[in-house]
Amino acid sequence: MTDFVQNCIDGLMFGSGYALLALGFTFVFGVLKRLNLSFGPSIMLGAYAGTWVYLNISDNAWLVALATVIATIVVGIYVERLCFRAIRHDATIASMVSSFAIWMQLEEVAMHLLPERTYPFPAFFTTTTIEFGPFYARSEHITMLLLTLLLLVLLHVFLFRTRPGLALRSVSDNPLASAYMGINNSNILFLAFALVSVLGGLAGFLILSADTQVTPYFGLWATFKGLIAMMLGGMGSLPGAILGGLLLGIVEANAFWYGGPVIRDLSAYLLLFVMLIVRPGGLIGQKIVAEQRAADERV
Amino acid sequence: MPNEYVLTIISNIGMISLIALSAYLLLVTGQISFGQQAFFGISAYAGAIATTLWGWPFWLALIFGSGLAALIAGLIGVLTLRISGMYFSIATLAFAEMIRLLLFKLTYQVEIDGELVGPNGAEGFGEIRWIFDHNISVLEYTLMIYAVLLLVLFGMVLLERSRLGMIFRMLGGDVLLTRTQGLNPVRYKIAAAIIAGFIAGLGGTFYAHSFTYIEPQIFNVMLGVHSLAYGLIGGLGTVLGPLIGVAIDIGFLESIRILQGYRMIVFGGLVAVMLIFMPRGILDEARVYWIKSVIRRWFNA
Amino acid sequence: MLELRSVSKVFGELSALHQVDLWIPPGKVSGLIGPNGSGKTTLVNIITGIYAPDTGQVLFNGVDIVGSTADQITRFGVARTFQNIRVFSRMTVLENVLAALISLGDPSWRVLLGFTKGANDPRLNMALKALETVDLLNEASVVAGELSLPLRRRLEIARAFVRDPELLLLDEPAGGMTPTETANVANLIRNRIAPGRTCLVIEHKMDLISDVCQHLCVLNHGEKIAEGPPDTVLEQPQVIEAYLGRD
């Protein structure tokens, strides 16, 4: 029983990393109604830029973080131009497939830029173990959890209390009407992607610095984890992303403990599969699915 | 006698064409599957187990592997009936990854001639030597692959002209409209899933025996996206479409030395560009109609 | 033929239909009219099984079809066109009409695996005749997506009546058309489609309605406000008010 609870605690900690990634995915979906499957590799390239800075310029963690975020933004803009802006507004599936294809491209680019298998990443946090009762948690994970919640609050404030946030929300709701009201959709698209890239870059930086290394599998890993967490919580829902990430973390931690790494990943996909079949709207609910269905069937 | 290197490329084109046709069939019915590689893999393992561990003849193993893949594909088709669009695509992705991970756990070894043979999780499944044990040359094996591929193509051309094929295209156009024409999509979606799974399975068993070694990592997301991409690039208007896509990738890109190591960059970029300018590929439906009318006029002249 | 009893439908907070009773007489062209937003399309969607009403019954030849799926209802003998035109845009005109005939006679797998354009197939002749009736025979090989709006509407009409349905629902068949085009549609309906068939035309254009309809139902804000022969209905004050607003 102690094991189970400890696993859950570990799960919550890891889960916050997933939640951060999921925030990025869900934000793009919420605003643009499309899925960006290049999100993970964009972050990975950002992380590679950070690692390059770390190895060649300075080992100041803040600088590395900045480099990571900026590089992620740059790659994000590339993906946005090619896979989203250039494609007709209602061809949402085409954007998804296009971003998947670009994922392949980015992976190969990464392989060329940094051919070694693993690169070091600076540790942002000091590692201390906090104990309470028979349980323990690592301080960097707690920090990540708190930072995730903080980011969620900031995002919420941005979306609901600022002018650009309002513009974003109106475009996601009704792009045509927004255009008539003078909101420049292209700028909004750009803003959304930039914001998401910042989130992603930060997420990548935090996760990797807790791990102190970056491997070429990070892109794939980040995309899958973020995607699963988002879908578990409910596409397009910000609190859903957090819940989904935490749920995924808990399930994975326990699966790993009782079954090993393969069982852990298997459980994640199984959970996603079952959720999609039984309740595609995720934890948050069916409203998104119902809306989409209604839109498809508008007669 | 063409050299072995060229023959290998040609046989690869044949095998990959099968999984490309599998993804294409589902694309035509309006479903984007990121997971056909799962059926390719299931059949690869099942077929290889049949010949290597159970001593079955190849053709029987081929039917067995593909049949098993088709069965599971049908099951997935049933499970995913109520979801469509992005949800469907992600579900197929999740399923395919589950299969890949399950293959990591698959250990089934039998002692043959003093050696342990069979799938062994992450270490893969080697010594799939049926072709070599039966003295089949590379040329003969390539011909076998193409014989099956031609049969499949013939079948799909017939399908294209049949009412079932029209129903598939209707589903790909407008599911609601299909319903109001008096057709219940359920049977047809499942039929499409089963046929597509079978075709992917054919490719898989051939693949296992051609390469003599398979491991779970081969049947990954990249293979899945590639199979989709072939149809998207070559065109969704005709079965020749995915074949053209495969030829462009394996026949052309893979063969150009300069592009070694950059193939995915070019290919990925090509897909993205196609989706912007020609979202239904080079040979899309409109172009195919046009070509057919030109041919008809030419024959009548 | 078709009778609606106390049909209500609510979408979230919007009451689209409220306790609507309707009677469509057989063999005539009936019209369902009302200002935009009065619930006409909702009613049509309920009749054709796109969604079910919250309460009430829809009796087709005496049988309640509420809960039947859209495909079942089509096979019962109800055909429709769509307000915002739905065609299979990547298929040709002829193929669009053939598509409607596939489910005729509840096809077995043997039929499904047969060719769509077999020379001796009676369906092919039916499709060609339907195209001839709407003057689209020359466009048979044109890809539907390339057709102009009026031609696309004609295609929808051909596709709808080729099955010789018992009830033919035309949802805004003159939507988006010029007065000349509207008159053409009216002629088409009056002369070639309507004879010997039960039709329900949903429109908010008066010229088409008065031209072709022998029976009218008027909806406003989800409620039926009048029903009967056109000349009587169109003179009723609440109908005039619904369209022109209160002075």
Side-chain angles (χ1 to χ4, degrees):
Chain A
M1 189 53 196
T2 330
D3 285 343
F4 180 70
V5 178
Q6 179 60 50
N7 288 336
C8 289
I9 294 177
D10 289 338
L12 285 177
M13 303 294 130
F14 277 113
S16 55
Y18 298 157
L20 268 178
L21 293 169
L23 273 178
F25 272 107
T26 221
F27 197 76
V28 169
F29 185 77
V31 174
L32 303 172
K33 301 289 183 274
R34 311 189 215 187
L35 219 51
N36 177 13
L37 294 173
S38 278
F39 191 47
S42 314
I43 301 175
M44 180 172 72
L45 285 177
Y48 274 7
T51 221
W52 185 86
V53 162
Y54 182 58
L55 292 174
N56 298 315
I57 299 189
S58 136
D59 54 1
N60 180 327
W62 292 99
L63 216 58
V64 171
L66 190 66
T68 306
V69 171
I70 291 180
T72 309
I73 294 180
V74 169
V75 179
I77 293 175
Y78 168 68
V79 170
E80 183 247 334
R81 290 287 139 111
L82 187 59
C83 308
F84 292 82
R85 184 180 296 226
I87 291 187
R88 249 178 53 211
H89 174 81
D90 51 342
T92 54
I93 308 275
S95 287
M96 174 178 73
V97 178
S98 182
S99 67
F100 213 163
I102 294 301
W103 174 0
M104 294 195 300
Q105 196 183 63
L106 294 176
E107 290 270 327
E108 193 157 74
V109 167
M111 240 187 320
H112 282 278
L113 284 183
L114 284 120
E116 306 247 282
R117 307 236 90 215
T118 320
Y119 288 88
F121 214 75
F124 186 61
F125 317 90
T126 43
T127 309
T128 42
T129 310
I130 304 176
E131 296 183 39
F132 38 102
F135 310 117
Y136 62 91
R138 300 225 320 255
S139 61
E140 63 261 33
H141 288 146
I142 296 189
T143 319
M144 194 147 66
L145 184 61
L146 292 173
L147 276 170
T148 307
L149 292 172
L150 177 66
L151 275 171
L152 175 67
V153 170
L154 284 175
L155 233 118
H156 187 90
V157 166
F158 173 76
L159 274 180
F160 289 91
R161 299 284 160 93
T162 69
R163 290 269 297 282
L166 177 62
L168 259 169
R169 280 188 296 127
S170 74
V171 167
S172 86
D173 203 50
N174 193 333
L176 195 59
S178 307
Y180 282 139
M181 290 199 285
I183 299 177
N184 185 330
N185 284 8
S186 299
N187 286 351
I188 292 302
L189 202 64
F190 176 78
L191 177 63
F193 259 85
L195 194 57
V196 164
S197 301
V198 169
L199 274 175
L202 281 175
F205 176 77
L206 289 172
I207 294 173
L208 290 169
S209 67
D211 228 20
T212 66
Q213 62 171 21
V214 50
T215 75
Y217 299 115
F218 180 69
L220 210 77
W221 180 91
T223 304
F224 279 138
K225 297 306 176 192
L227 193 62
I228 299 177
M230 170 185 75
M231 302 227 99
L232 287 180
M235 286 215 285
S237 158
L238 291 175
I242 308 288
L243 284 176
L246 295 180
L247 174 63
L248 181 62
I250 293 175
V251 167
E252 281 200 343
N254 280 298
F256 182 75
W257 180 259
Y258 293 112
V262 174
I263 299 291
R264 174 195 60 199
D265 291 340
L266 200 61
S267 315
Y269 288 115
L270 183 62
L271 187 58
L272 175 60
F273 189 68
V274 170
M275 186 66 95
L276 281 172
I277 293 180
V278 166
R279 199 183 158 89
L283 290 170
I284 292 297
Q286 294 290 88
K287 200 183 95 158
I288 310 156
V289 182
E291 274 173 13
Q292 262 206 318
R293 213 163 269 166
D296 287 337
E297 307 211 329
R298 191 138 295 149
V299 180
Chain B
M1 184 68 58
N3 68 22
E4 287 217 350
Y5 174 67
V6 172
L7 276 177
T8 313
I9 294 187
I10 293 179
S11 64
N12 284 351
I13 291 180
M15 293 185 284
I16 300 297
S17 291
L18 286 166
I19 192 179
L21 286 168
S22 164
Y24 160 83
L25 183 63
L26 287 177
L27 274 171
V28 163
T29 62
Q31 298 175 284
I32 301 185
S33 167
F34 286 138
Q36 296 311 94
Q37 68 275 21
F39 308 114
F40 196 75
I42 288 172
S43 179
Y45 271 82
I49 286 175
T51 58
T52 316
L53 270 61
W54 300 340
W56 288 14
F58 179 78
W59 296 106
L60 195 58
L62 184 66
I63 303 289
F64 170 63
S66 314
L68 183 61
L71 198 69
I72 298 179
L75 179 64
I76 298 302
V78 169
L79 287 173
T80 56
L81 274 175
R82 286 173 205 264
I83 55 177
S84 60
M86 275 182 227
Y87 298 97
F88 174 80
S89 302
I90 303 292
T92 57
L93 182 61
F95 168 70
E97 284 292 282
M98 285 200 290
I99 292 294
R100 186 179 64 87
L101 289 166
L102 278 172
L103 287 174
F104 268 112
K105 287 297 206 181
L106 177 65
T107 304
Y108 173 32
Q109 301 207 296
V110 162
E111 194 168 314
I112 296 185
D113 295 336
E115 262 184 65
L116 271 182
V117 192
N120 190 11
E123 285 173 31
F125 181 359
E127 305 292 325
I128 306 172
R129 304 175 51 81
W130 191 91
I131 326 182
F132 301 98
D133 288 347
H134 287 77
N135 287 319
I136 298 187
S137 69
V138 181
L139 176 64
E140 281 167 339
Y141 195 61
T142 308
L143 288 172
M144 281 163 69
I145 294 175
Y146 275 81
V148 170
L149 178 60
L150 277 163
L151 271 173
V152 169
L153 283 171
F154 183 63
M156 287 184 78
V157 167
L158 288 180
L159 181 67
E160 181 64 39
R161 294 175 173 231
S162 72
R163 296 194 183 93
L164 181 60
M166 177 176 270
I167 295 177
F168 284 164
R169 286 211 179 262
M170 286 164 70
L171 288 172
D174 192 327
V175 179
L176 181 64
L177 188 57
T178 307
R179 269 195 189 270
T180 59
Q181 305 310 306
L183 296 165
N184 187 341
V186 168
R187 310 190 222 171
Y188 310 112
K189 281 171 97 173
I190 298 177
I194 292 176
I195 299 174
F198 187 78
I199 297 175
L202 290 172
T205 303
F206 273 121
Y207 184 89
H209 290 82
S210 178
F211 283 81
T212 72
Y213 169 78
I214 52 178
E215 54 174 9
Q217 199 43 37
I218 299 173
F219 311 108
N220 63 8
V221 168
M222 286 302 153
L223 179 57
V225 179
H226 274 80
S227 8
L228 264 186
Y230 297 135
L232 288 172
I233 292 179
L236 298 177
T238 160
V239 293
L240 290 179
L243 300 181
I244 291 178
V246 175
I248 291 178
D249 185 28
I250 301 185
F252 183 59
L253 293 179
E254 182 113 351
S255 314
I256 300 189
R257 285 298 146 104
I258 336 169
L259 288 181
Q260 288 305 346
Y262 294 95
R263 193 178 59 86
M264 294 241 258
I265 295 181
V266 174
F267 191 69
L270 182 60
V271 174
V273 169
M274 287 300 289
L275 282 168
I276 298 174
F277 297 111
M278 291 201 260
R280 294 196 72 86
I282 299 173
L283 290 177
D284 60 20
E285 291 86 349
R287 204 152 286 134
V288 170
Y289 281 127
W290 179 79
I291 292 176
K292 282 189 188 165
S293 72
V294 164
I295 294 178
R296 233 177 290 137
R297 251 179 279 150
W298 189 66
F299 266 113
N300 289 340
Chain C
M1 150 65 52
L2 182 73
E3 189 188 339
L4 270 66
R5 290 188 193 159
S6 293
V7 167
S8 299
K9 181 78 182 169
V10 173
F11 289 114
E13 297 187 1
L14 174 69
S15 173
L17 291 173
H18 183 70
Q19 301 288 343
V20 174
D21 295 315
L22 215 67
W23 162 245
I24 309 292
K28 295 193 183 165
V29 181
S30 300
L32 182 62
I33 64 175
N36 276 333
S38 51
K40 309 191 292 293
T41 300
T42 308
L43 200 63
V44 172
N45 288 345
I46 287 176
I47 295 173
T48 52
I50 309 290
Y51 35 72
D54 295 328
T55 65
Q57 295 175 300
V58 177
L59 298 166
F60 183 59
N61 289 332
V63 178
D64 189 2
I65 58 177
V66 168
S68 304
T69 58
D71 51 283
Q72 286 171 323
I73 292 180
T74 303
R75 290 199 296 272
F76 290 155
V78 179
R80 71 170 292 177
T81 65
F82 289 88
Q83 184 180 11
N84 46 14
I85 306 187
R86 288 175 100 112
V87 293
F88 294 112
S89 47
R90 293 191 291 264
M91 290 171 28
T92 64
V93 163
L94 178 61
E95 285 170 348
N96 264 272
V97 183
L98 283 171
L101 292 170
I102 294 181
S103 69
L104 213 52
D106 204 17
S108 61
W109 286 104
R110 243 194 96 231
V111 171
L112 287 176
L113 294 175
F115 293 156
T116 49
K117 294 179 194 158
N120 294 328
D121 192 356
R123 283 174 235 242
L124 184 60
N125 291 329
M126 289 166 76
L128 290 171
K129 265 188 66 197
L131 286 180
E132 195 181 9
T133 311
V134 298
D135 283 324
L136 274 181
L137 203 51
N138 289 336
E139 281 83 3
S141 308
V142 175
V143 170
E146 292 170 16
L147 291 176
S148 65
L149 182 83
L151 290 176
R152 259 192 265 178
R153 287 227 182 262
R154 277 198 254 155
L155 173 59
E156 267 210 311
I157 293 176
R159 189 187 64 208
F161 83 79
V162 73
R163 293 172 66 101
D164 200 16
E166 273 191 68
L167 174 62
L168 179 57
L169 289 155
L170 300 171
D171 194 349
E172 309 234 359
M177 295 210 207
T178 65
T180 325
E181 290 165 348
T182 305
N184 288 339
V185 172
N187 286 337
L188 180 64
I189 297 175
R190 196 185 347 97
N191 299 333
R192 303 200 189 165
I193 315 287
R197 199 172 268 129
T198 309
C199 298
L200 177 61
V201 179
I202 296 88
E203 255 302 338
H204 64 272
K205 284 188 187 174
M206 279 313 175
D207 38 357
L208 186 87
I209 291 289
S210 16
D211 194 346
V212 306
C213 296
Q214 295 143 328
H215 177 92
L216 275 190
C217 301
V218 188
L219 289 185
N220 193 18
H221 294 313
E223 292 184 350
K224 186 185 76 177
I225 58 175
E227 187 172 8
D231 18 8
T232 327
V233 166
L234 290 176
E235 293 194 349
Q236 288 181 15
Q238 64 265 38
V239 175
I240 300 177
E241 189 188 306
Y243 269 94
L244 302 178
R246 198 169 283 192
D247 280 324

